[in-house]
Structures are given as structure tokens and as C-alpha cells.
């Protein structure tokens, strides 16, 4: 990790926000969320999941954004978007696909993408990886 400079956390919810705030104590971290209201609240120091106190949030060096261009320089992407199940108990991977497309659009050779979202075995390789490859033109794991 000592050689890795910039981290992007994608999805600033219950899982992503505390992770991003903690990592920001040691690394330059940008947190991206597609919900502009969530971004606005967090920038004002308000976390409605009550995981991070306003004082801690305001004092953090975490850069909060809803703009993908703000994470262009990241070397490590940590995806923490929701994976709900639908009415038939089927996992809804819309957010994982969407986040992968976003990340793939700015991915550079050698970058690392970590999926923290809860998924069934195989999703990283069979769903997320191909989305990253299609959007970036790069090859996973090569
Ligand atoms: N690995 C673990 O230890 C662990 C623990 C608990 C939960 N989880 C998993 O982490 C994931 C996130 O859970 P949560 O409770 O933080 O969810 P959450 O709903 O609290 O937060 C998710 C955030 O992601 C944002 N988002 C949705 N789609 C996005 C996209 N395409 N790009 C950027 N941001 C996007 C939402 O606006 C929201 O703010 C779930 O899959 C959950 O099951 C993992």
C-alpha cells in the first residue's frame, strides 16, 4: 500500500463512508456517490446513517463528490454500492454493474478494483470484471 497513492471509494453509504473516512487518515481518498442529495448532506457534515459524527466528517480530508472526473487519478477503487434482492429474492446487481461501468471509464493499466458489496460467488469474475473490461478496454488480472 505504501506505493499506492490515491484511493476512490464508490458508494458512500453505511459501509463506504466509514471506510472512506478511516482510509483518509492515511491516504488521499475521494468518495463518490451518485446520489447528489447524499453528497450535499455529507459535505455539510451530516451522515444520516449516524456512522460518522459531524465533527469527524468535517475534520476529515476525505474529498466527497458525485463527479466521476474527480476519481480519474485514483489507483485503487473500492466499490461499496448496494446489492438488494428483488421480490423473488433474486440479487439485483444494477448498482454493481453501474459502478463498474463508471470505474471502467476512468480505469488505467495497473489499477486495482476491490468489491466490498455483498455478492454471490462468481459475480466479481463473471459480471463486474466484464463490465470493467468493456468500459476500459483493459484485461482483468493480466
Ligand atoms: N463486506 C462487508 O463487510 C459488508 C458489510 C455490510 C454490508 N456490506 C455490503 O456493502 C454494500 C453496501 O451496503 P450499504 O449498507 O453501505 O448500502 P447503502 O445503501 O447504505 O449505501 C450505498 C450507497 O451507494 C450509492 N450508490 C448506488 N449506486 C451507485 C453507483 N452506481 N455509483 C456510486 N454510488 C452508488 C447510494 O447512493 C448509497 O449512498 C451492500 O452490498 C452490503 O450488502 C458489506
Amino acid at each position: 500500500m505504501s506505493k499506492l497513492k490515491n484511493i476512490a471509494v464508490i458508494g458512500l453509504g453505511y459501509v463506504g463512508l466509514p471506510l472512506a473516512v478511516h482510509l483518509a487518515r492515511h491516504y488521499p481518498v475521494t468518495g463518490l456517490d451518485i446520489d447528489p442529495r447524499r453528497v450535499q448532506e455529507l459535505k455539510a457534515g451530516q451522515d444520516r446513517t449516524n456512522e460518522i459524527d459531524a465533527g469527524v466528517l468535517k475534520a476529515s480530508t476525505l474529498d466527497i463528490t458525485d463527479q466521476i472526473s474527480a476519481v480519474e487519478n485514483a489507483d485503487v477503487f473500492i466499490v461499496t454500492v448496494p446489492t438488494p434482492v428483488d421480490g423473488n429474492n433474486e440479487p439485483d446487481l444494477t448498482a454493481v454493474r453501474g459502478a463498474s461501468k463508471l470505474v471502467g471509464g476512468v480505469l488505467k493499466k495497473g489499477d486495482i478494483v476491490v468489491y466490498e458489496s455483498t455478492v454471490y460467488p462468481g459475480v466479481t469474475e463473471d459480471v463486474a470484471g466484464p463490465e470493467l473490461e468493456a468500459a476500459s478496454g483493459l484485461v482483468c488480472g493480466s
Side-chain angles (χ1 to χ4, degrees), residues 3 48 75 100 125 135:
K3 287 185 187 156
R48 70 179 117 102
D75 311 293
S100 300
E125 259 179 298

Side-chain angles (χ1 to χ4, degrees), residues 8-9 16 20 26 40 45 63 70-71 97 106 110 128:
V9 175
H26 305 281
Q40 207 175 5
D63 186 23
V71 297
R97 287 184 186 278
V106 295

